Amino acid sequence: MNNWIEGIPYELAFWNNLYRWRWTYEGLLSWSNYGKELRLEGIDARSVLLSATTATAATSRSGKPIVLDVGAGMSYAPGNFYLNGTEKQEIDIRYIDPLAFHYNRILKKRHKNLPEVTFGVAEYLSSCVADEAELVIIQNALDHSFAPIKGIIEALRTLHTGGFLYLNHHPNEAETEDYKGFHKFNICEEQGKLIIWNKESRRDVNELLNGFATIDVKTVENGHIVALIKKTAEVPASLYDDKASIRELCHSNHLLFYQVYSGHLSMKLKCSYAFYNFIQFFVQALPHNLKIKLKKLIKQA
């Protein structure tokens, strides 16, 4: 948790400055599917939602299928509808992130007319979301969490039986980023198996889900690891402990309060944000191609 907290300043500085400049903001919206048809790399999103909605008649109060974009940041990447034949079906999409409070402040500060981000933590998702969903999307976020295996279990708990969890991540990003910021875990595909690992642990997700979910894992053309997990039965109670989660949260809350009250962590986070915000001010102002070249040079160095 402490390592994750120390990665927050970089994340906030990145989004604050991406939304600062007109060209980076417009580039984000041109890349995302916001206001467009739901599209997910490596799979047929339409077929997935049709299957999920056929398996369960339950939808949100608005009558639309519920889609959760977990760890959404401020990307607004998925679309807002799918096609049932030729008929356009809107979805109830909710953008969920533990930094929602900060992101909504950025939206207000930058005067952007976009939906607010809803607070939610992947590791405690079933407690953060009242409604069961047809589809949970986690893109480039699970490996940034402090307990990704727990995040998978919690995502499956929020789904109806017959619903889907979609994962899309860069391979072994913690290794690439030298375990800096939020990058504490690696995700890779080995012979059709989804593996989550770091220097201390290694877990075969296919083995973990055996008996209550099916999983299809592949490496797509651009190298991303894509996994589609279908919930086939309720998650075994042996894989989660809500009382332990409450203890974890209480402990983390009191520890964080102590650290902030003592002044050390508060000053450290403020200084980190000031530094990263200064760097990102100039980085986001650069043309995209130049940013990519500079990033490659830094990694090589």
Side-chain angles (χ1 to χ4, degrees):
M1 177 71 83
N2 284 344
N3 289 333
W4 184 85
I5 288 171
E6 291 179 2
I8 291 175
Y10 176 87
E11 202 74 8
L12 298 183
F14 171 81
W15 288 113
N16 181 50
N17 287 281
L18 190 145
Y19 272 67
R20 179 194 299 273
W21 302 109
R22 176 181 54 81
W23 49 89
T24 52
Y25 173 70
E26 291 178 353
L28 170 70
L29 290 188
S30 66
W31 163 82
S32 79
N33 287 308
Y34 178 71
K36 305 171 187 174
E37 183 180 0
L38 176 69
R39 294 186 182 277
L40 298 172
E41 185 179 48
I43 69 165
D44 183 349
R46 173 181 171 275
S47 297
V48 166
L49 265 183
L50 285 173
S51 174
T53 52
T54 300
T56 74
T59 54
S60 66
R61 292 177 183 175
S62 64
K64 304 172 186 176
I66 297 173
V67 176
L68 308 178
D69 184 10
V70 179
M74 300 179 72
S75 63
Y76 298 94
N80 300 82
F81 66 88
Y82 71 102
L83 297 176
N84 186 357
T86 58
E87 186 178 354
K88 181 178 175 181
Q89 300 281 346
E90 291 188 359
I91 59 179
D92 179 1
I93 185 162
R94 305 172 189 180
Y95 307 99
I96 297 174
D97 200 283
L99 301 181
F101 172 76
H102 301 282
Y103 293 153
N104 291 333
R105 288 184 65 185
I106 293 173
L107 287 176
K108 186 176 180 180
K109 178 181 178 181
R110 301 300 176 196
H111 307 289
K112 303 304 182 185
N113 186 26
L114 290 168
E116 286 197 344
V117 182
T118 301
F119 173 79
V121 183
E123 290 86 350
Y124 309 101
L125 190 62
S126 65
S127 299
C128 299
V129 179
D131 303 304
E132 290 183 311
E134 276 72 36
L135 173 64
V136 175
I137 299 168
I138 306 180
Q139 302 191 85
N140 195 32
L142 189 65
D143 50 354
H144 298 174
S145 65
F146 51 85
I149 294 296
K150 188 172 183 178
I152 290 175
I153 295 300
E154 283 293 299
L156 289 170
R157 290 182 69 189
T158 68
L159 289 167
H160 291 289
T161 300
F164 291 88
L165 168 60
Y166 171 80
L167 306 175
N168 186 330
H169 294 82
H170 297 284
N172 298 330
E173 192 170 17
E175 286 283 305
T176 302
E177 299 293 338
D178 197 27
Y179 295 87
K180 294 176 181 176
F182 281 169
H183 305 101
K184 304 302 179 187
F185 289 90
N186 299 290
I187 294 178
C188 67
E189 178 257 332
E190 296 180 1
Q191 299 179 332
K193 293 185 176 183
L194 182 66
I195 307 296
I196 297 180
W197 67 280
N198 61 15
K199 295 178 180 179
E200 289 79 37
S201 64
R202 176 183 174 88
R203 197 66 186 265
D204 180 340
V205 179
N206 294 52
E207 181 181 2
L208 173 72
L209 303 182
N210 188 34
F212 63 95
T214 60
I215 178 169
D216 179 28
V217 187
K218 58 186 174 183
T219 302
V220 296
E221 189 174 345
N222 62 7
H224 291 178
I225 309 300
V226 170
L228 185 64
I229 302 172
K230 182 178 182 179
K231 181 178 179 179
T232 57
E234 290 302 316
V235 177
S238 59
L239 291 179
Y240 60 88
D241 185 339
D242 291 334
K243 288 186 177 181
S245 291
I246 293 172
R247 289 195 299 271
E248 289 170 6
L249 288 172
C250 289
H251 176 77
S252 297
N253 180 62
H254 284 279
L255 179 62
L256 179 60
F257 176 80
Y258 169 77
Q259 291 175 322
V260 171
Y261 183 75
S262 67
H264 172 70
L265 182 61
S266 178
M267 183 59 68
K268 184 177 181 180
L269 293 178
K270 287 179 179 178
C271 290
S272 293
Y273 177 75
F275 172 76
Y276 288 126
N277 198 49
F278 176 79
I279 298 297
Q280 287 292 330
F281 177 88
F282 295 102
V283 169
Q284 294 300 339
L286 297 174
H288 178 71
N289 290 338
L290 181 56
K291 282 189 286 189
I292 297 299
K293 290 179 181 178
L294 286 174
K295 190 172 183 179
K296 289 181 178 178
L297 286 173
I298 291 170
K299 286 181 179 179
Q300 288 173 0

